[in-house]
Amino acid sequence: MTHIWAVWLALLLDRIFADPRRFHPVCWIGQMIAFMDRRLNKGKWRKGKGIFTLFVVCTVTFIISYGLIASAYRLSFIFGIFIEAMIIFTSIAPTSLANAAFDVLDPLERGDMDEARKNVGMIVGRDTKTLQKEGIVRACVETVAENTSDGVTAPLFYAFIGGGALAMLYRAVNTCDSMLGYKNERYAQFGWASARFDDVLNYIPARLTAFVMLFVHRANKRAWKLLFRDARNHPSPNSGWCEAAMAALLHVQLGGVNTYHGVVSVRPTIGDASVPLSAWHIKQAVAIMIRTTVAFTIGGSLLALACTWG
């Protein structure tokens, strides 16, 4: 029951304050990862050092989060819920994700392509300097779809299971993957464990999120068939699920050709191009993300209540 109250309060805090820019735990986690990257990511045994880095970051994050929450509950039930909600609040980012998408949409609607390219470049890893309007929209929609799970429902999933401490553990793993999980010479070995563990933790949440996304929007059989047809058309074993669900609901095609640091990457497409991508689809993608978040939270709350009463 306490986890349920904390989750809903966390969503309310996110709606009011969005992602805090100062004193954010993820920034501290990132600093710890960067420190260990500088010290350990060299010489021999890089894969083992990467496993050790992941273990240390996860252990420190979980112990501190659990300690804060447990201490707060000892002082007061209400104070405990508030502290747990604050920790969950820092692990989710639906409002910030929506704001970032609208930061791309606004210049697109004004015809300011340079600002739109700059803003979308802040939320995607691909090269954006030469993107045209459709490419900008596709990048933004793909990011909203992928981060519906990574940045919202996955930490909520773990919050329902184990409260704020488990939500922050997930965020620590996700941050390790974001900073170390690259398939290049520097991180192929050192970031191996972070990338693999992130895939494991996201396996269930990504699929649940895609199912909830289609269910809450009363998707037809065509959308469900498209989901299972194209969910694996992505280098990530998880990201394709939410992208396929989003593409099915918007009747657009995602995936395809991207450029990363000047290197062209050709990926399978996701979805059918029933309609061309337009700026309007960014607004629709954000609306889908918000409705999915609410439905996921209601479903998680009901399931948690059922387990508690059972």
Side-chain angles (χ1 to χ4, degrees), residues 32-232:
M32 181 166 42
I33 296 168
F35 173 79
M36 299 194 74
D37 181 19
R38 291 193 302 270
R39 292 300 181 92
L40 299 180
N41 191 9
K42 53 190 173 183
K44 297 180 180 180
W45 313 109
R46 289 196 185 189
K47 181 177 284 190
K49 292 174 182 177
I51 294 172
F52 176 72
T53 295
L54 178 66
F55 175 78
V56 169
V57 171
C58 290
T59 302
V60 170
T61 300
F62 183 81
I63 290 175
I64 291 176
S65 301
Y66 183 84
L68 286 172
I69 294 169
S71 299
Y73 275 113
R74 289 192 189 98
L75 293 174
S76 163
F77 178 75
I78 299 298
F79 187 56
I81 290 177
F82 176 75
I83 294 301
E84 185 169 19
M86 286 291 294
I87 289 175
I88 296 172
F89 158 55
T90 60
S91 74
I92 60 175
T95 300
S96 293
L97 179 58
N99 291 342
F102 288 134
D103 284 343
V104 177
L105 174 63
D106 291 344
L108 272 181
E109 292 182 331
R110 297 195 309 268
D112 189 343
M113 297 294 292
D114 289 336
E115 185 178 354
R117 291 187 187 102
K118 182 187 74 173
N119 290 348
V120 79
M122 296 175 68
I123 57 175
V124 298
R126 71 196 65 175
D127 298 341
T128 61
K129 291 183 179 179
T130 60
L131 287 182
Q132 298 305 309
K133 186 174 182 178
E134 186 169 320
I136 294 171
V137 172
R138 177 166 67 85
C140 189
V141 169
E142 288 173 354
T143 295
V144 171
E146 181 177 348
N147 283 287
T148 299
S149 177
D150 286 1
V152 187
T153 57
L156 289 177
F157 174 82
Y158 288 105
F160 279 120
I161 294 175
L166 201 58
M168 281 307 298
L169 173 63
Y170 166 81
R171 180 52 60 207
V173 174
N174 191 250
T175 306
C176 283
D177 178 54
S178 298
M179 296 180 65
L180 308 177
Y182 297 103
K183 296 178 181 178
N184 56 30
E185 184 178 353
R186 177 172 176 79
Y187 291 110
Q189 295 296 311
F190 190 73
W192 174 84
S194 296
R196 297 291 78 76
F197 196 33
D198 183 72
D199 288 343
V200 170
L201 290 187
N202 276 299
Y203 188 89
I204 294 175
R207 287 153 180 78
L208 277 179
T209 303
F211 297 158
V212 171
M213 195 179 285
L214 292 188
F215 178 80
V216 76
H217 291 92
R218 300 179 181 178
N220 56 26
K221 289 183 180 179
R222 169 201 154 274
W224 286 98
K225 287 180 180 179
L226 191 150
L227 172 67
F228 289 102
R229 187 194 75 188
D230 292 351
R232 294 175 179 83

